[in-house]
Amino acid sequence: TTLQLQTIEIKAPRLQSFQIGIKTTTFKNFQKLTIATQDLATALSFNTPIFIKNYGPGRLATTAIRGASAAQTAVIWNGFNLNSPMLGQADFSLIPAFFMDKIGLQYGSNSTAWGSGAIGGSVILENKNKFNQGWQAVWDSKVGSFDNFFNGIGLGYSNDRFSTTTKVFHESGKNDFPIKNGQSDRLRHSE
């Protein structure tokens, strides 16, 4: 007689496959709460030892890990490389930390498992599927000086076989701080 065995599929994330001996840093839960309303450049500059080359709010922000250039740093989101194919680097000011469930860093040339000559290191961004959670909602808001606002909302649903999450955000800032040019005035056209 022949027995038909049920098919079993085993999946292992690529990150764990090559993680032996690699220095990896991930954010803790309390850190994730404080960075949720920030862009990735601000979150990384205040919470990690890597250097972020930032040219001001809303402008280009790139990284330098262990002296390597931004083109030698891979930005990986759920296994996909987010580096621009034209420039070979990613702009961290365009990526909101609100969208990510897990943010991690891999230092040094061991992170070249991700390819693209990432000899400086890799920034690993992940979203986790959570099953059997039912409906979930998240809302983050930030109000800052000079009319800076951030609002983000997320809605998700999961059962035992299906999981989905949608997140949207809106960020704005007038950036109209006072300046002195012979008389008191406010900076205009700097939104």
Side-chain angles (χ1 to χ4, degrees):
T1 61
T2 305
L3 294 174
Q4 181 70 27
L5 297 177
Q6 200 173 19
T7 303
I8 297 174
E9 187 174 330
I10 299 173
K11 292 183 180 179
R14 190 173 181 193
L15 178 60
Q16 277 98 25
S17 300
F18 299 102
Q19 210 167 22
I20 298 170
I22 295 176
K23 181 179 178 185
T24 304
T25 302
T26 57
F27 287 102
K28 308 285 189 279
N29 286 336
F30 71 93
Q31 289 173 312
K32 286 195 297 186
L33 293 174
T34 60
I35 67 169
T37 58
Q38 300 172 351
D39 60 24
L40 199 55
T42 307
L44 291 174
S45 66
F46 285 117
N47 296 291
T48 64
I50 66 173
F51 177 65
I52 301 290
K53 294 178 266 185
N54 195 339
Y55 296 96
R59 291 176 175 81
L60 180 66
T62 59
T63 183
I65 299 177
R66 295 188 170 184
S69 70
Q72 295 169 329
T73 302
V75 181
I76 308 298
W77 171 68
N78 292 334
F80 294 100
N81 195 333
L82 294 183
N83 286 357
S84 167
M86 298 295 286
L87 298 175
Q89 62 188 17
D91 184 358
F92 288 92
S93 67
L94 299 177
I95 305 171
F98 174 70
F99 285 168
M100 306 307 150
D101 293 331
K102 183 179 176 184
I103 301 171
L105 296 172
Q106 283 185 348
Y107 301 95
S109 60
N110 287 336
S111 64
T112 57
W114 296 106
S116 75
I119 62 173
S122 297
V123 178
I124 311 295
L125 310 172
E126 293 183 31
N127 294 96
K128 298 285 186 185
N129 289 327
K130 299 172 189 145
F131 293 96
N132 293 321
Q133 300 289 315
W135 287 98
Q136 306 132 30
V138 62
W139 175 59
D140 283 314
S141 184
K142 174 179 76 171
V143 177
S145 55
F146 311 118
D147 292 327
N148 290 315
F149 298 100
F150 175 92
N151 284 300
I153 188 166
L155 183 63
Y157 174 76
S158 66
N159 57 25
D160 59 339
R161 300 178 69 174
F162 177 76
S163 175
T164 184
T165 302
T166 301
K167 292 181 180 179
V168 295
F169 77 100
H170 179 264
E171 186 172 15
S172 66
K174 287 189 178 177
N175 202 24
D176 57 348
F177 54 88
I179 58 173
K180 294 192 181 209
N181 56 355
Q183 61 185 13
S184 292
D185 200 3
R186 297 185 85 76
L187 184 67
R188 308 259 186 250
H189 311 296
S190 187
E191 292 187 47

